Amino acid sequence: MDKQGLVELRQLLDAALTDGVEPDVAWRSRFKATIQSLGSSPEANAAQFDFAIAALFDAVFANAPMSNLPDWFQSNQKLAELYAALLELRQFTLALSHGDLARALRLKGFTAGALKNLQASLRHLTWQTQMIARGDFNQRVEFMGEFSDAFNAMVVRLEETLNQLKHHESELAERNTALTREITERQQAEEKLRASEELFRSLIQTSPDGVCITDLTGTLTFSSRKALEMVGYSDWADIRGKNVLEFIAPEFREQATVTVRELLKGNYTGVAEYKAVKKDAQVFWAETKMEVLRDAAGAPTGIFFIIRDITERKHAEEIERDLRILSETLRDTAAVLNSTLNVSEVLDFILAHLHRVLPHDAANIMLIDDDGLVIIPRGHGYADPDPKDILAQRFQLAQIPVLRTMVETQSPVVIRDTRTSAQWSNLLPGAAWIRSYAGVPIAIKGKVIGFLNLDSGTPGFFTIEHVERLQAFANQAALAIENARLYAEVQHSAITDSLTGIYNRRHLMELAARELERARRYNRSFSILMLDIDHFKTINDTYGHAAGDCALQVVVERFRKDLRRSDVLGRYGGEEFLALLPETNTDQAQLIAERLRNSIALTPIETGRGAIAVTVSIGVAMWEAVAPPLLRAETLDEFIERADQSLYQAKHAGRNRVFMLNTTVRQPVVK
Amino acid sequence: MDAQRKYQFSWELLGDLDLGRPNLGPTTRLEVYRLMQFCFRDVMEQQLGTEKTDRIFFDAGKLAGEKFYQHVLTKTDDLNEFVQQLQTALREMNMGILRVEKADAELGSFIFTVSEDLDCSGLPELDYEVCVYDEGFIAGLMESFTGKPFKVKEVDCWCTGDRTCRFTAEVVS
């Protein structure tokens, strides 16, 4: 084998494969010559040469290399080796182009070495990119020209970007930490606030007092359940947006407005009381504490109200006040009643003080007189018609069912509606306006002596409390009336004659002295009659003392009938009477005396012993200012003595006559 | 280790080149390095045989790698930092262009390539790898870095037709 020929052959192939020299005619010619030099026929060598060229050409340029190579090709070691090397290079570069860096290239030489160098560089680059991906930005590619510059610039930029990202990340992390901390603090604050609000809400909602909040215009912004209940609502939505003044009674709104105004100025602290209005218009007493709500800057933002229903307390206070007033009134009444024995004063005082403890439109006191008639000594509030018409009324007890009931039961009566009660009877003039009534009996030792009555124009006005208080008054009145009556009786007994009921001598003399003094002071006429029953001892002896007493009583009765109201009749002695005739001159006195005499003389007196004829003798005396001093009686005794002397003359003249001494001549007093 | 051996290595033996070569400087031509190395190989092989010669060159390279790690590199536990330090040092000292093709620290398996290395880049093709010294050098470096024994083998070499020297390094379990 010609080594030089082989070297030439190799050079030719290198030129074609590596240097890219086209296998032109010159190249083919040289190739052929080289083959030939290797010891074969020119023709065969040419054909083989052509084939070999074609095969090698396909191995480099064709999509698929030749297969089924002839034996001579494969038996040519160098050729076969070259062809195999080309195929391997082909496979290696293909794999390399697909990114397969693991394929080994078992060739030596420049070309294979360069390809393997490229493969090694790519492997290193792969490792470097893996390191960069792990964050190692110190990786740099060297000695790879333009790629090194681009790659290294990319790494630097990646590092810068990563650093920026890290910086941003760090900032974000810091911000996040700060935000997280702030969020945590805020959450804690919110939690505290929520807990505080929850506590506040629980306290508010469980408080027995109502709580509400308004803005500065008074518009409700919050109401606790209790506050809603207080005003009769169940749903907050129903009162949201309403003004708090809507729930205050109209008469208290002005006060409430002023209070809030002062509160906002800082001039008000404390508790306000007013009437509140419910949804159904019911009213209740409320006690309110108020506080101004302020923002962080101290500016007012609303009003905070704590509301307590004090209706019961108010009611209790009213009751206590009423009871106190009642107690004071009763005490005062008792003091007054204990200090007077005058029935009229007692009645006046009772009626006047009723209004302090008992509301009513009209009131009256009824008494049952000795004849069983019901009289109305006192009354007020009955303006129509004339109140005096009320006081002038007299009724039979049986005419008034309600009074009858009280007498029978000795218990109070309350009539809620006079129009529907069978107990009521409109006997009082102008009483049609009365719609409700409360009456209590005034009783002493089990005996009803009168009634204390209250009237109202409102149905159902009077309550059990009213009746109880009225009864307390009636009890005091009963005692006072009884005391006054007893006193009057005692007084009457002290000044009256028990048999005839006219004044006794002692009181008669007091009255006579009073009348004489009045006549003397005012220079008025004043006459007296001395009356004596003729033969009274004989009557007693003949008919008995009982008949005699009866005669006395009848005589007195007849005298009373014929005497004037202004005249005073008294018993001077056993059968002697003295009549005081104020403002009466002689002629008038004699006329009256004659009338009295006739009233006895003309009609016998019926007694238990039959009819008795009775006469009287009458002496007349007159005191008048015009009488000469010598003839004017200076003293009462002298005056009465004169009448007595006149009587003596009447007796002396035959009895059953009237005699008057001559007033122009002063007659000597005959003892 | 004998304390008084004559040729026991120490880094000081590299000397003060600024002092020693104020005019020529610290560098020389690569051929000078190769001339000494290959002559060493020749004479050693004649006297000691091929295997022993390879062994001596491997051990020498390993010793050099260990000393290089101690005196040139900064101790680190980070693989990437170690690689970068080594790359920089080899490049700056014109010893070669170190690249990594594979690095599995957990398994202790690595593939390095050294291009334009001192020993073989540009040599004619031979049938064997010649970078025995570099094998030892890399072994010394890896053992110094990891603290574990390494087996290093050159699998591709310029002399076997590659254009970069490829070394596998496996930790000896």
Side-chain angles (χ1 to χ4, degrees):
Chain A
M1 190 72 64
D2 182 359
K3 191 168 183 178
Q4 183 60 38
L6 290 174
V7 171
E8 287 181 8
L9 187 63
R10 177 177 172 177
Q11 287 174 348
L12 284 169
L13 287 172
D14 281 341
L17 292 173
T18 305
D19 300 335
V21 173
E22 284 290 327
D24 56 8
V25 173
W27 187 91
R28 288 175 192 270
S29 177
R30 279 185 65 197
F31 189 78
K32 183 177 177 181
T34 305
I35 293 293
Q36 280 182 339
S37 71
L38 295 176
S40 56
S41 73
E43 292 79 16
N45 287 343
Q48 288 178 350
F49 176 80
D50 289 340
F51 183 85
I53 292 297
L56 292 172
F57 190 88
D58 286 349
V60 173
F61 298 105
N63 287 340
M66 281 189 187
S67 57
N68 298 322
L69 296 172
D71 292 337
W72 62 262
F73 189 96
Q74 295 187 30
S75 62
N76 188 323
Q77 184 182 354
K78 287 293 182 186
L79 188 60
E81 193 176 318
L82 174 61
Y83 190 76
L86 284 175
L87 291 183
E88 190 166 344
L89 285 171
R90 181 187 167 101
Q91 294 300 320
F92 183 81
T93 51
L94 182 65
L96 198 62
S97 71
H98 288 163
D100 179 3
L101 305 182
R103 187 183 176 97
L105 181 60
R106 299 292 172 206
L107 293 177
K108 299 179 183 177
F110 183 84
T111 305
L115 286 172
K116 285 193 278 188
N117 202 24
L118 175 62
Q119 187 192 52
S121 294
L122 289 174
R123 283 178 177 174
H124 182 63
L125 273 173
T126 302
W127 180 84
Q128 282 188 301
T129 53
Q130 288 171 347
M131 292 302 104
I132 291 170
R134 290 180 195 173
D136 179 9
F137 293 97
N138 293 320
Q139 299 296 326
R140 294 293 183 272
V141 171
E142 293 171 317
F143 313 112
M144 290 187 74
E146 195 176 327
F147 181 80
S148 294
D149 296 338
F151 186 90
N152 294 339
M154 179 195 73
V155 174
V156 167
R157 188 75 190 107
L158 279 174
E159 186 178 18
E160 287 174 356
T161 304
L162 183 65
N163 287 339
Q164 285 174 358
L165 283 174
K166 282 184 179 176
H167 180 67
H168 288 149
E169 198 177 81
S170 174
E171 282 186 346
L172 281 173
E174 282 180 14
R175 220 177 280 176
N176 188 47
T177 301
L179 273 175
T180 302
R181 187 171 52 245
E182 189 179 324
I183 288 171
T184 302
E185 289 172 357
R186 192 171 292 183
Q187 282 176 342
Q188 289 172 350
E190 283 178 356
E191 179 55 31
K192 279 186 186 173
L193 181 62
R194 187 204 64 77
S196 176
E197 280 187 355
E198 190 58 37
L199 177 63
F200 170 77
R201 202 171 295 278
S202 296
L203 289 172
I204 293 296
Q205 296 295 6
T206 56
S207 170
D209 297 330
V211 174
C212 68
I213 298 175
T214 72
D215 61 18
L216 295 178
T217 67
T219 302
L220 285 165
T221 58
F222 170 78
S223 174
S224 69
R225 275 197 295 273
K226 183 63 181 177
L228 283 177
E229 285 171 15
M230 279 181 174
V231 290
Y233 285 86
S234 57
D235 193 341
W236 160 242
D238 294 335
I239 70 166
R240 171 186 278 151
K242 287 183 182 287
N243 196 288
V244 70
L245 284 177
E246 290 184 37
F247 300 96
I248 298 176
E251 63 269 28
F252 287 91
R253 287 177 186 168
E254 178 64 28
Q255 172 195 334
T257 303
V258 170
T259 301
V260 169
R261 197 180 303 138
E262 291 302 307
L263 177 73
L264 288 170
K265 287 182 189 173
N267 297 333
Y268 180 83
T269 56
V271 174
E273 291 184 0
Y274 55 86
K275 283 187 178 176
V277 183
K278 295 187 179 187
K279 182 181 178 182
D280 59 1
Q282 274 193 45
V283 173
F284 66 97
W285 275 99
E287 177 186 88
T288 300
K289 292 181 187 172
M290 292 176 274
E291 280 291 340
V292 179
L293 296 174
R294 299 181 186 277
D295 59 19
T301 59
I303 312 287
F304 180 86
F305 296 83
I306 298 179
I307 307 153
R308 182 173 294 180
D309 188 336
I310 58 169
T311 305
E312 284 187 14
R313 191 186 83 194
K314 278 292 189 184
H315 183 59
E317 286 175 359
E318 276 181 29
I319 291 174
E320 189 272 336
R321 185 181 63 246
D322 289 348
L323 286 175
R324 189 181 69 249
I325 293 174
L326 175 65
S327 173
E328 289 171 357
T329 305
L330 289 174
R331 188 189 61 222
D332 294 344
T333 307
V336 170
L337 294 182
N338 288 338
S339 67
T340 181
L341 292 173
N342 184 297
V343 175
S344 291
E345 286 182 10
V346 167
L347 300 180
D348 285 338
F349 193 85
I350 290 171
L351 212 59
H353 283 74
L354 266 180
H355 78 277
R356 289 178 64 186
V357 292
L358 286 164
H360 55 272
D361 293 325
N364 65 73
I365 300 176
M366 292 180 177
L367 295 177
I368 303 175
D369 68 8
D370 295 334
D371 299 325
L373 281 177
V374 176
I375 61 174
I376 307 178
R378 293 291 184 280
H380 70 205
Y382 302 96
D384 182 25
D386 191 333
K388 290 181 183 170
D389 293 341
I390 303 291
L391 302 180
Q393 297 301 312
R394 301 282 186 276
F395 304 103
Q396 288 291 338
L397 187 63
Q399 284 180 281
I400 310 176
V402 66
L403 300 183
R404 203 170 60 238
T405 301
M406 282 194 275
V407 169
E408 290 167 1
T409 63
Q410 298 213 2
S411 297
V413 170
V414 174
I415 296 179
R416 293 186 57 80
D417 192 341
T418 57
R419 293 185 187 176
T420 59
S421 172
Q423 291 273 320
W424 184 255
S425 48
N426 282 330
L427 293 179
L428 291 179
W433 62 268
I434 298 172
R435 292 296 307 276
S436 61
Y437 162 87
V440 296
I442 302 174
I444 294 291
K445 295 176 184 175
K447 180 185 174 189
V448 176
I449 62 169
F451 310 94
L452 195 48
N453 304 305
L454 300 178
D455 297 312
S456 170
T458 305
F461 186 79
F462 298 107
T463 67
I464 296 295
E465 279 179 0
H466 293 148
V467 170
E468 288 172 354
R469 293 178 193 178
L470 192 63
Q471 187 64 69
F473 265 95
N475 294 341
Q476 281 192 332
L479 205 59
I481 292 171
E482 182 63 12
N483 286 342
R485 275 191 172 179
L486 286 174
Y487 178 74
E489 279 183 21
V490 166
Q491 268 216 316
H492 189 68
S493 300
I495 61 172
T496 57
D497 176 59
S498 58
L499 177 63
T500 61
I502 58 177
Y503 294 121
N504 57 22
R505 181 191 175 104
R506 186 175 65 80
H507 191 61
L508 182 64
M509 295 310 290
E510 287 174 3
L511 292 175
R514 201 180 299 163
E515 285 298 329
L516 182 61
E517 181 56 35
R518 192 183 69 80
R520 182 178 286 133
R521 180 177 299 176
Y522 298 110
N523 290 321
R524 309 299 298 175
S525 302
F526 178 36
S527 298
I528 57 175
L529 304 179
M530 185 70 80
L531 307 102
D532 187 277
I533 298 178
D534 297 330
H535 304 299
F536 186 68
K537 187 174 178 308
T538 305
I539 292 173
N540 272 340
D541 292 341
T542 305
Y543 298 99
H545 285 279
D549 288 344
C550 177
L552 280 172
Q553 287 172 337
V554 171
V555 164
V556 165
E557 199 177 314
R558 289 183 186 176
F559 281 169
R560 271 176 157 173
K561 234 185 245 178
D562 287 323
L563 283 171
R564 301 165 303 180
R565 277 191 146 179
S566 58
D567 300 332
V568 176
L569 181 65
R571 191 173 182 182
Y572 192 74
E575 71 275 15
E576 249 179 336
F577 302 92
L578 187 65
L580 307 177
L581 309 177
E583 303 287 336
T584 307
N585 59 25
T586 306
D587 293 337
Q588 291 167 330
Q590 288 190 93
L591 277 175
I592 291 170
E594 275 299 324
R595 190 165 67 235
L596 292 178
R597 188 193 64 78
N598 283 324
S599 71
I600 304 299
L602 293 179
T603 307
I605 295 174
E606 291 293 333
T607 69
R609 297 294 299 273
I612 303 175
V614 178
T615 61
V616 294
S617 299
I618 303 174
V620 182
M622 189 197 76
W623 189 91
E624 59 182 346
V626 299
L630 282 179
L631 297 177
R632 193 187 315 151
E634 294 294 333
T635 68
L636 179 63
D637 287 340
E638 290 177 357
F639 190 32
I640 291 174
E641 179 60 28
R642 194 174 297 283
D644 193 41
Q645 285 199 354
S646 296
L647 175 63
Y648 176 81
Q649 293 299 324
K651 291 281 191 187
H652 189 69
R655 295 183 169 81
N656 191 20
R657 64 191 68 232
V658 176
F659 190 87
M660 179 174 176
L661 288 177
N662 190 348
T663 58
T664 58
V665 179
R666 182 175 182 140
Q667 299 295 325
V669 175
V670 178
K671 300 279 186 199
Chain B
M1 176 67 74
D2 296 339
Q4 298 300 323
R5 262 194 316 110
K6 182 177 180 181
Y7 295 115
Q8 184 173 352
F9 180 81
S10 70
W11 198 260
E12 286 73 27
L13 288 174
L14 299 183
D16 184 348
L17 293 177
D18 290 334
L19 179 66
R21 284 165 61 97
N23 297 303
L24 295 181
T27 60
T28 188
R29 300 252 326 172
L30 182 58
E31 296 94 325
V32 174
Y33 162 83
R34 286 184 180 174
L35 177 65
M36 184 176 72
Q37 189 193 115
F38 288 116
C39 288
F40 264 124
R41 282 179 190 249
D42 190 329
V43 172
M44 283 182 184
E45 188 182 34
Q46 289 178 39
Q47 295 183 13
L48 303 174
T50 307
E51 194 175 318
K52 214 164 207 178
T53 301
D54 285 341
R55 189 76 228 162
I56 290 171
F57 266 85
F58 182 90
D59 290 345
K62 188 173 175 190
L63 178 61
E66 290 169 359
K67 298 300 182 183
F68 192 87
Y69 182 87
Q70 289 173 19
H71 294 278
V72 176
L73 304 183
T74 303
K75 191 177 186 321
T76 179
D77 294 327
D78 184 73
L79 175 63
N80 286 352
E81 191 178 332
F82 164 71
V83 169
Q84 283 172 7
Q85 281 190 58
L86 190 57
Q87 281 176 325
T88 303
L90 294 182
R91 184 179 63 250
E92 288 178 352
M93 297 176 84
N94 291 332
M95 292 170 70
I97 302 172
L98 172 68
R99 292 188 177 134
V100 177
E101 285 189 357
K102 173 187 167 186
D104 190 337
E106 284 189 13
L107 291 179
S109 175
F110 302 85
I111 298 178
F112 300 107
T113 62
V114 181
S115 301
E116 299 183 25
D117 76 328
L118 293 174
D119 290 354
C120 68
S121 56
L123 286 182
E125 280 192 27
L126 305 171
D127 293 329
Y128 52 90
E129 294 84 8
V130 299
C131 302
V132 182
Y133 179 85
D134 286 347
E135 287 177 346
F137 189 77
I138 290 172
L141 285 171
M142 294 306 291
E143 287 182 13
S144 297
F145 171 66
T146 64
K148 298 175 183 175
F150 264 79
K151 178 183 174 186
V152 181
K153 185 72 184 77
E154 186 181 27
V155 295
D156 288 309
C157 184
W158 181 282
C159 293
T160 58
D162 278 278
R163 287 298 174 265
T164 185
C165 298
R166 180 172 287 108
F167 300 87
T168 62
E170 306 281 340
V171 70
V172 178
S173 56

